[in-house]
Amino acid sequence: MSESKLAGQFFDAAIGLLQRVRDEEGGRIAEAGTAVAAAVAAGNRLFAFGAGHSSLPAQDVVYRAGGLALMNFLAVPGTAGVDVMPATLGSALERVDGLAGAVLDSSPATSGDVLVVISLSGRNALPVEMALNARALGLTVIGVTSVAYARETRSRHVSGTFLKDHCDIVLDSKIAVGDAELSIDGIAAPFAPASTVVTAAIMQAVMAAAAGELAARGIEPPLLRSGNVDGGHEWNGRVMQEYGDRIFFRH
């Protein structure tokens, strides 16, 4: 099979997943957007968390052009990227009991805030406890996960539960267990993961829904502009000043 045909098949698979999420999760995405908008309108804060490659869609909505300035990345040291050495340490930390609670207790997150927890499998201790503890603190928790893992795998948390069991709103990415869209004869392992593409799109869809909801309430959404367009830095400076007490990714 030609390389170009495989590349095309991946695009087809990703497009199919995006269309399925749009059609099947649209109502819940709108609900998540309303929850985000309500927190902004009430003076609360926004946080996003993900470990390993699930951190990428979380980071994609933090401090970016066209995004809500109030979205903060809730970082767990050692879990947010492949720059950790060895890279396998991040996977190991996802299974450590008690880590999520320690991070939340030392974070600025508090009752009334919104936390988006992203975990493809939703089975490890870190995302499960992050959602469980956040709800106990009074946060609204939005989970972005593949519900298929809860049907086809076993939880690694002592409770036997998954991320989806501790969320106010669950957004299903529809990714199949294993996160690999292609397989062919001659290549032993399946390949071409689409979870980052789909989950990042879900996150941006939620942010878009939130911006629309804020506008409908007569509130100017605190959006950032690109620093690479004329006037962008000045615009962002004003937003940062107005909402500085709810933005934690800067000193």
Side-chain angles (χ1 to χ4, degrees):
M1 181 177 293
S2 70
E3 295 86 345
S4 61
K5 187 171 183 180
L6 285 172
Q9 287 184 350
F10 174 75
F11 278 112
D12 290 342
I15 291 168
L17 284 163
L18 289 168
Q19 290 176 328
R20 186 179 171 198
V21 168
R22 178 197 62 194
D23 295 342
E24 298 178 15
E25 299 297 304
R28 282 178 287 274
I29 288 171
E31 183 183 358
T34 297
V36 169
V40 173
N44 296 112
R45 290 80 63 84
L46 310 175
F47 299 89
F49 163 77
H53 285 93
S54 290
S55 74
L56 299 177
Q59 294 180 57
D60 193 48
V61 293
V62 176
Y63 185 54
R64 68 156 306 136
L68 291 173
L70 274 61
M71 183 58 73
N72 301 277
F73 184 63
L74 185 63
V76 177
T79 68
V82 294
D83 58 337
V84 179
M85 297 295 287
T88 51
L89 175 61
S91 297
L93 289 173
E94 287 189 66
R95 305 180 190 185
V96 174
D97 294 330
L99 182 56
V103 168
L104 274 172
D105 288 345
S106 60
S107 79
T110 189
S111 179
D113 294 345
V114 168
L115 172 62
V116 183
V117 180
I118 303 171
S119 174
L120 177 60
S121 72
R123 67 189 297 223
N124 290 311
L126 187 55
V128 172
E129 290 184 357
M130 189 68 76
L132 192 158
N133 289 5
R135 287 185 87 189
L137 290 172
L139 279 77
T140 297
V141 178
I142 300 168
V144 185
T145 187
S146 169
V147 174
Y149 278 84
R151 295 191 299 265
E152 301 175 34
T153 69
R154 295 178 63 183
S155 170
R156 289 182 175 137
H157 188 249
V158 64
S159 67
T161 61
F162 287 77
L163 168 61
K164 73 174 186 64
D165 300 314
H166 304 285
C167 299
D168 297 286
I169 303 168
V170 177
L171 306 179
D172 184 4
S173 64
K174 315 296 181 181
I175 301 295
V177 173
D179 192 17
E181 294 300 318
L182 303 180
S183 60
I184 62 170
D185 292 338
I187 299 179
F191 56 99
S195 61
T196 304
V197 172
V198 175
T199 306
I202 290 173
M203 293 298 292
Q204 294 298 346
V206 171
M207 297 302 105
E213 175 66 20
L214 284 166
R217 296 182 182 208
I219 299 171
E220 178 69 28
L223 296 168
L224 295 174
R225 291 181 180 268
S226 171
N228 296 312
V229 300
D230 292 342
H233 286 299
E234 292 76 12
W235 172 282
N236 293 342
R238 290 192 296 270
V239 173
M240 293 283 193
Q241 183 175 12
E242 181 176 355
Y243 291 94
D245 59 335
R246 292 191 265 171
I247 298 171
F248 303 104
F249 51 75
R250 64 172 192 166
H251 293 292

